[in-house]
Amino acid sequence: MVSFENFKKMALSFENTTEEPHFEKTSFRINKKIFATFDEKNNRAVLKLNEIDQSVFCASSEMIFYPIPNKWGKQGWTIVELSKVRPEMFEDALLLSYQNVAPKKKK
């Protein structure tokens, strides 16, 4: 289980992350782009995963991770049931979400 406080602490630990409202949810952003939201009413997170990461998380834990049931889901937006997810698994998924949205560093 992941509490909102732990979710927030993890998200804000990533470089240049901001917390901002997004309709009735709380969003976490990098350069004004959302990589995660928190839905307090349903105790869920939504993360922006790439297609491969989404399929891996959803296949391994389909009661915990599942695509949003519309075209947003086909773009990688994935619901996470915070009351069921292990903190380590959530942290891995959150980091991938952040990396998908963060600007790519020049080599």
Side-chain angles (χ1 to χ4, degrees):
M1 178 179 168
V2 175
S3 68
F4 174 64
E5 291 76 24
N6 287 338
F7 175 6
K8 180 177 176 175
K9 184 177 178 181
M10 286 181 221
L12 292 175
S13 73
F14 302 137
E15 186 177 352
N16 298 320
T17 296
T18 60
E19 178 184 353
E20 299 177 35
H22 180 68
F23 300 98
E24 68 281 351
K25 297 174 175 62
T26 302
S27 71
F28 296 93
R29 303 170 188 234
I30 175 76
N31 291 344
K32 300 182 182 179
K33 294 182 180 179
I34 296 173
F35 68 89
T37 64
F38 173 68
D39 177 354
E40 181 178 12
K41 179 180 173 186
N42 295 302
N43 195 34
R44 291 181 184 152
V46 173
L47 306 179
K48 174 66 166 115
L49 301 175
N50 66 36
E51 189 176 307
I52 293 170
D53 293 333
Q54 183 187 54
S55 67
V56 169
F57 278 101
C58 292
S60 68
S61 305
E62 62 187 31
M63 300 302 288
I64 300 170
F65 291 87
Y66 48 94
I68 291 178
N70 59 31
K71 66 179 172 179
W72 289 99
K74 292 178 180 168
Q75 295 174 15
W77 291 101
T78 307
I79 296 170
V80 184
E81 296 291 342
L82 294 176
S83 63
K84 298 176 183 177
V85 69
R86 290 188 333 266
E88 308 80 35
M89 183 179 274
F90 181 73
E91 188 168 17
D92 289 345
L94 184 63
L95 176 60
L96 290 170
S97 180
Y98 171 81
Q99 291 171 337
N100 282 330
V101 176
K104 307 303 178 229
K105 298 198 180 213
K106 294 180 182 177
K107 295 181 180 179

